[in-house]
Amino acid sequence: MSAPIRIAMWSGPRNLSTAMMRSFGARADCAVSDEPFYGAYLALTGIDHPMREEVLAAEETDAAKVAAALGGDAPGGAALWYQKHMVQHMVSGVPRDWFSAVRHAVLIRHPAFVAASFDAKYADPTPEDLGTPQMDGVIADIERITGRTPPVIEAEDVRRDPEGMLKALCAALEIPFDPAMTSWPAGRRETDGVWGAHWYGAVGRSTGFAPPADPPEVEARLKPLVEGAMPGFEALRARKLKPVK
């Protein structure tokens, strides 16, 4: 059996990341993994997230074991393995040497969307909760270890032109585009993390990417969070992929 093509998609939370996982999961040739380092992240940091105990009970908490598995065979022997990763999970104690075994991409979204959506589920988030300060370090390590700069894709572009943006992403990852990626059946998945009961309400009802929207007006208490995240967002946005027509 040949080794799978492994794809690590990096983002912060509430970045359309689960919908992107649905998109890749709609391919017949693709296995998906949902935030494999979440359990290790909670164990290493002691942070009190919603459903913390359920996550710790359900997920592997040894980061080294998770990292070793991510460079191995895909679940079910699939030819393609999509791994949904959160940059904030890459704390001290989480290995990065496995980066060389995967192809990487970065998913971004306007910080106003992210802050408002995260705050609705976990009040008063910090920049670290949203992955703002961690993103540059993860990208730098990807570039150092792989010698390649990961392609960047913006969530609202995917919502505006799913087929065009998914074609662009697949081309950048050097995999064929599959039209099945633009829609999927509604409902939960066995591959969803247990935390999906708290976080995945909307995507569980979805059958495709929702239309684009303008960034929301956030509450005053969230504005410093959004403003602090904008420079990093704009820097990545400046080199994002364009749709393939």
Side-chain angles (χ1 to χ4, degrees), residues 23-157:
S23 173
F24 274 82
R27 299 175 61 119
D29 61 351
C30 188
V32 301
S33 291
D34 191 7
E35 301 182 30
F37 285 110
Y38 195 4
Y41 165 73
L42 293 180
L44 287 166
T45 63
I47 192 169
D48 186 18
H49 267 197
M51 301 186 68
R52 171 185 165 85
E53 295 307 318
E54 291 90 338
V55 175
L56 290 172
E59 299 294 301
E60 175 59 67
T61 59
D62 185 325
K65 289 182 179 179
V66 176
L70 293 174
D73 293 336
L80 187 64
W81 185 7
Y82 182 90
Q83 304 168 2
K84 172 191 163 192
H85 292 288
M86 298 285 109
V87 292
Q88 68 271 25
H89 292 172
M90 299 304 291
V91 296
S92 177
V94 177
R96 305 191 185 198
D97 54 354
W98 61 277
F99 281 13
S100 61
V102 303
R103 302 177 189 183
H104 301 264
V106 174
L107 176 65
I108 62 171
R109 198 178 192 191
H110 193 289
F113 286 114
V114 178
S117 180
F118 195 91
D119 182 71
K121 297 286 188 177
Y122 186 81
D124 299 319
T126 66
E128 290 75 17
D129 289 325
L130 303 187
T132 301
Q134 298 98 322
M135 179 64 85
D136 285 347
V138 169
I139 292 175
D141 281 340
I142 292 169
E143 293 174 335
R144 174 178 59 82
I145 293 169
T146 70
R148 303 184 69 173
T149 296
V152 176
I153 191 166
E154 184 176 351
E156 293 310 298
D157 291 343

Side-chain angles (χ1 to χ4, degrees), residues 59 70 72 101 111 158 165 169 190 205:
E59 299 294 301
L70 293 174
V158 179
M165 292 310 303
L169 177 61
E190 290 184 3
R205 297 186 294 272

